[in-house]
C-alpha cells in the first residue's frame, strides 16, 4: 500500500492515479486523514494494490479454514483482474461440499471480507483440488452440445441454474458462435443461462 497527500482527497486520488498509471475509478483506497483549517487543507489517502488484496484474501482464507480445524495450502494468481485462489487439503470433499455449495459459500465469504477491508469490489474465485476447473470443462462441453441442438432445432434451451462464474463460462464459450445468443434469466440461486437461436 502507498500513501498520497495533497490539499484534497480528490487531488490525492489524482496523484495516486498518475503515480500508479491507472484510472481513478479503479483505485482501492481509504482516507487516513482529512484536515480543513483556516489557512491550510490537507488530505492523506492510503491506496491498496492488487497484491495487498491477494495477501489479505489468502491470509483470511487460511485463518477461516484453520478455525474449522482443517489445514490447507494455498496458491494465488491474478488473471484478467480476477484473484484466483487454489486450495488443497486432506479434506477437499468437506471444503467443496455437496454440489460445490460449501466452496461457493467460502468464495462469497472471502469476497465480502476483502471488499469490506479495501472498500472496493474485487472479483475472487476459489478452487479446491481442481474441482472448479473440472466443472468448467464439463459446463463448456454441455453448453456447446446444447448450442448445437439449438441451431439444429431452432428452439431455445434453458440450462440448469448456475453460479455467476459458471454462467460467465457459458457466455464466453458460446460468444461468437453462429446463430447463437446467450442471456441470463431468473433471480438469485435460480438464475440460469438461456441459449437462444438467432437468424
Amino acid at each position: 500500500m502507498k500513501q498520497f497527500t495533497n490539499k484534497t482527497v480528490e487531488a490525492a486520488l489524482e496523484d495516486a492515479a498518475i503515480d500508479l498509471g491507472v484510472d481513478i475509478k479503479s483505485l482501492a483506497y481509504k482516507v487516513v486523514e482529512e484536515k480543513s483549517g483556516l489557512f491550510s487543507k490537507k488530505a492523506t489517502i492510503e491506496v491498496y494494490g492488487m497484491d495487498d488484496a491477494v495477501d489479505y484474501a489468502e491470509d483470511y482464507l487460511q485463518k477461516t479454514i484453520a478455525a474449522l480445524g482443517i489445514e490447507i495450502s494455498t496458491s494465488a494468481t491474478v488473471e484478467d483482474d480476477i484473484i484466483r485462489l487454489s486450495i488443497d487439503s486432506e479434506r477437499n470433499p468437506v471444503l467443496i461440499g455437496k454440489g460445490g455449495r460449501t466452496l461457493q459459500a467460502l468464495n462469497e465469504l472471502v469476497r465480502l471480507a476483502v471488499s469490506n477491508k479495501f472498500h472496493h469490489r474485487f472479483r475472487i474465485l476459489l478452487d479446491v483440488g481442481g474441482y472448479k476447473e473440472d466443472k468448467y470443462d464439463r459446463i463448456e462441453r454441455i453448453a456447446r452440445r446444447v448450442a448445437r441442438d439449438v441451431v439444429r432445432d431452432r428452439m431455445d434451451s434453458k440450462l440448469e441454474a448456475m453460479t455467476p462464474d459458471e454462467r460467465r463460462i457459458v457466455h464466453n464459450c458460446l460468444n461468437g458462435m453462429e446463430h447463437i445468443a446467450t442471456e441470463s434469466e431468473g433471480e438469485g440461486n435460480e438464475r440460469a443461462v438461456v441459449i437462444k437461436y438467432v437468424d
Side-chain angles (χ1 to χ4, degrees), residues 16-195:
I18 291 167
D19 183 74
L20 300 171
V22 296
D23 188 82
I24 287 179
K25 292 176 186 172
S26 69
L27 291 174
Y29 71 95
K30 75 172 182 181
V31 178
V32 177
E33 181 183 35
E34 195 170 9
K35 288 182 181 176
S36 185
L38 191 58
F39 298 107
S40 67
K41 286 182 176 180
K42 181 184 175 188
T44 301
I45 60 168
E46 209 162 59
V47 177
Y48 305 102
M50 187 64 84
D51 290 346
D52 298 311
V54 170
D55 291 344
Y56 183 81
E58 260 194 296
D59 186 57
Y60 181 87
L61 184 63
Q62 287 172 351
K63 285 177 180 171
T64 301
I65 296 177
L68 302 172
I70 300 174
E71 282 188 34
I72 63 166
S73 61
T74 60
S75 63
T77 58
V78 178
E79 294 173 38
D80 302 323
D81 285 333
I82 301 172
I83 299 172
R84 297 177 184 270
L85 293 169
S86 295
I87 308 165
D88 207 12
S89 82
E90 291 181 359
R91 302 184 65 190
N92 282 351
V94 173
L95 295 176
I96 294 167
K98 186 177 180 180
R101 287 195 190 99
T102 304
L103 175 58
Q104 189 178 343
L106 277 171
N107 202 127
E108 187 64 10
L109 192 64
V110 174
R111 187 187 67 75
L112 287 172
V114 174
S115 295
N116 286 339
K117 167 74 175 173
F118 298 108
H119 307 289
H120 185 80
R121 186 174 173 164
F122 288 96
R123 285 171 59 195
I124 295 176
L125 190 61
L126 303 187
D127 195 3
V128 175
Y131 170 81
K132 274 284 186 188
E133 287 303 319
D134 292 344
K135 191 167 188 183
Y136 288 163
D137 288 344
R138 197 164 59 250
I139 287 169
E140 278 193 19
R141 284 197 303 274
I142 291 168
R144 286 195 177 100
R145 178 175 48 78
V146 172
R148 285 193 296 271
D149 293 345
V150 167
V151 170
R152 185 189 67 222
D153 302 333
R154 298 187 177 205
M155 290 182 63
D156 300 350
S157 183
K158 186 175 183 178
L159 301 178
E160 64 181 31
M162 296 180 190
T163 60
D165 57 299
E166 292 166 356
R167 290 195 307 273
R168 196 174 299 115
I169 290 293
V170 176
H171 293 305
N172 289 344
C173 86
L174 298 182
N175 185 25
M177 187 172 176
E178 202 172 354
H179 300 299
I180 288 293
T182 58
E183 192 176 298
S184 290
E185 293 181 0
E187 298 296 324
N189 293 335
E190 298 305 309
R191 200 155 169 79
V193 177
V194 178
I195 301 175

